Amino acid sequence: MDDKDLQILRLVQENARLTADAISQDVGLSPPAVQKRLKKLRDTGVIEREIAVLSPAKLGREMTIIVEVLLERENRAHLDAFKRKMRDAPCVQQCYYTTGEADFLLILTVRDIKEYEQFTQEHFFDASNISRFKTAVVMDRVKTSLDVL
């Protein structure tokens, strides 16, 4: 990967809908050269996927909640089961297996506190392997990004 690849990545990270023509003007390469580089970046997994970032508020999911989860037991079967449940839960935007006091850190978007309560009943209170969880309600989205560069 060279400087031109990094320039291309910065541009598509900001706007994945840019055409090869538009990118080529910014990085000083021909459109076919940009297309070739983009294909290689996708094929090698540098670009994992291209997504649309939706507005939670405009979709009625105005509450963002951060949850620290501590498991009772941390063997492979319990970890895999919890990870699977979090991958399948629609309101879980992000789930991280972490070091430190909490085993997992979750970021959720929900319509209201009632939906979060339902989530906790289903995924925490009804789960025998959850030791405890700690909730923080986000008051202001100061910065949200998946940018790497």
Side-chain angles (χ1 to χ4, degrees):
M1 193 166 356
D2 62 15
D3 288 342
K4 294 293 185 188
D5 287 332
L6 292 173
Q7 288 177 321
I8 291 169
L9 289 170
R10 282 187 190 94
L11 290 168
V12 297
Q13 178 177 256
E14 180 66 29
N15 182 356
R17 296 177 65 188
L18 287 174
T19 65
D21 288 335
I23 294 169
S24 71
Q25 291 174 7
D26 283 349
V27 300
L29 294 171
S30 70
V34 169
Q35 288 172 332
K36 183 178 175 184
R37 285 172 179 259
L38 281 169
K39 181 179 179 347
K40 183 178 177 187
L41 292 166
R42 289 180 183 114
D43 290 348
T44 59
V46 174
I47 297 176
E48 291 182 5
R49 61 189 177 136
E50 296 167 57
I51 62 170
V53 178
L54 308 179
S55 166
K58 293 193 179 193
L59 294 168
R61 306 190 71 71
E62 298 191 34
M63 287 189 85
T64 300
I65 297 180
I66 300 170
V67 187
E68 294 178 12
V69 179
L70 182 64
L71 300 181
E72 191 71 40
R73 292 169 299 286
E74 217 180 320
N75 63 40
R76 185 181 310 265
H78 285 104
L79 289 172
D80 290 345
F82 186 80
K83 289 176 184 179
R84 195 170 32 261
K85 284 181 80 171
M86 294 303 101
R87 281 188 202 104
D88 293 341
C91 66
V92 176
Q93 276 192 320
Q94 298 174 51
C95 174
Y96 299 97
Y97 178 44
T98 62
T99 62
E101 187 175 328
D103 295 311
F104 287 90
L105 180 65
L106 311 176
I107 306 210
L108 291 78
T109 57
V110 294
R111 287 184 299 280
D112 52 30
I113 200 70
K114 201 81 169 151
E115 184 181 359
Y116 178 61
E117 180 183 16
Q118 183 179 357
F119 175 87
T120 62
Q121 294 293 325
E122 181 180 340
H123 295 285
F124 300 156
F125 292 120
D126 292 346
S128 63
N129 196 40
I130 303 299
S131 174
R132 63 186 160 94
F133 65 96
K134 183 174 159 184
T135 302
V137 176
V138 173
M139 295 174 55
D140 183 19
R141 289 175 45 168
V142 177
K143 178 182 179 181
T144 57
S145 170
L146 294 177
D147 290 357
V148 176
L149 296 175

